Amino acid sequence: MINVDRLSKAFRISIPGENFLEKGKRFLIPRYKYIQAVNNINFAIKEGEIIGFLGPNGAGKSTTIKLLTGVLVPNSGMVRVNGIIPYKQRIQNAYQIGVVYGQRSQLWWDLPLIDSFKILKAMYRLSDSTYKANLDFFVDLLQMKTYINQPVRKLSLGQRMRADICAALLHDPPVLYLDEPTIGLDIIAKNRVYEFIRNLNAEKNTTIILTTHNLSDVESVCPRILIVDKGNLILDAPKSDILKRFGKTRTLTVTFYNGVQDINVSGREIIKKNKNELQIKFNREEVSAFDLIASMEQNKGIKDVSIHEDNIESIVAQIYEKGAEEGGGR
């Protein structure tokens, strides 16, 4: 469905002068530097796959999505989506993709939500029967019936995100790009989005690329994960391989009312201990957080408990330290 071969994109950035005289010189004779956003990456995605596209902020995720959608033209390399070169055949490509940007909306702010959908129906030249069937399907799956007649500006962030997903899918595209779609959402809204992704893929075999910087966001959704950093594709592997090699460690933080209690469970490492707080690093395959907490004298005196998992930044650091080949990259 998607083929990317030696794809690169750099942006030209002007270099400002440091003082008034330098600024004047730069105005007359500008100087530039180049920022490599995407650097010679290769991957292929089959029809019906759900891909987690991960990386720290500024890693090149959104730039890659814009190259795949035809918004940007690559400096070199090739990309084909369902046989189409996106930036050369933008109209044809627009009919076969849906795109959701977490920080931007394609809905009309002051109009009722249903009117935005009617405008998109006209834009994509959908028949009445296709529009009704798709709208009914997505309204039911995304639970939008109670607010479909409200103005977009009155929707909560979670409601608007679900509406944006519906808008991206009304024309039944075989490919869906979700670029940070859960930014700012609470855990309940996130779970609804991810449940929808699973259902959509099962019902329509839609190819889905989900970009995020949070490994836990895609753990239950994406069988395969691509990790980028500084424009380079540093790992392309099944989720199970990545979690097995890099996602084992968790940190348990326990706050006590009256002094730290002892803990007598193997497979853990105390990394911080003061008067009322204890931090323990443990391997989730060797011991559970429940066992750790239960060992603390039947939970007496515990004020608060939190569990922290490795984020994508720490996993990228581990990959650089251990090497991508050790992480199962290909």
Side-chain angles (χ1 to χ4, degrees), residues 12-33:
R12 190 175 75 166
I13 307 295
S14 64
I15 303 174
E18 296 182 0
N19 52 50
F20 182 78
L21 183 60
E22 286 277 332
K23 291 180 187 294
K25 288 181 179 179
R26 295 288 185 268
F27 179 76
L28 297 173
I29 307 174
R31 292 180 60 188
Y32 303 95
K33 64 179 179 179

Side-chain angles (χ1 to χ4, degrees), residues 104-210:
R104 298 189 186 108
S105 177
Q106 60 178 313
L107 305 170
W108 281 262
W109 193 246
D110 291 313
L111 295 180
L113 180 56
I114 186 64
D115 287 353
S116 288
F117 294 152
K118 289 176 181 178
I119 293 172
L120 291 168
K121 170 184 180 288
M123 288 174 58
Y124 285 106
R125 302 173 185 174
L126 300 178
S127 67
D128 291 341
S129 59
T130 299
Y131 169 73
K132 185 179 186 307
N134 288 346
L135 183 63
D136 289 346
F137 175 78
F138 292 121
V139 166
D140 179 60
L141 203 59
L142 290 164
Q143 303 174 23
M144 298 190 300
K145 189 175 295 184
T146 57
Y147 58 85
I148 195 168
N149 291 307
Q150 291 184 25
V152 172
R153 58 185 165 78
K154 291 189 176 182
L155 303 182
S156 70
L157 182 59
Q159 291 172 334
R160 184 182 62 75
M161 187 53 60
R162 282 182 275 164
D164 268 312
I165 292 173
C166 177
L169 291 167
L170 271 179
H171 58 294
D172 238 355
V175 180
L176 175 63
Y177 302 105
L178 298 171
D179 189 15
E180 302 278 9
T182 59
I183 285 180
L185 299 187
D186 60 36
I187 189 64
I188 295 174
K190 279 187 179 183
N191 288 339
R192 283 176 178 165
V193 170
Y194 293 139
E195 181 182 2
F196 167 77
I197 290 171
R198 289 190 292 267
N199 291 336
L200 174 69
N201 180 258
E203 291 277 346
K204 294 180 176 285
N205 199 37
T206 304
T207 304
I208 300 170
I209 298 181
L210 169 64

Side-chain angles (χ1 to χ4, degrees), residues 43 46 137 159 187 279 285 291:
F43 60 84
K46 297 178 182 178
F137 175 78
Q159 291 172 334
I187 189 64
Q279 280 192 354
E285 293 183 349
D291 290 335

Side-chain angles (χ1 to χ4, degrees), residues 227 234-235 242 246 314-324 327:
I227 299 179
I234 62 173
L235 192 61
I242 295 174
F246 298 108
S314 64
I315 290 176
V316 167
Q318 291 181 57
I319 291 171
Y320 275 124
E321 180 181 341
K322 299 180 181 180

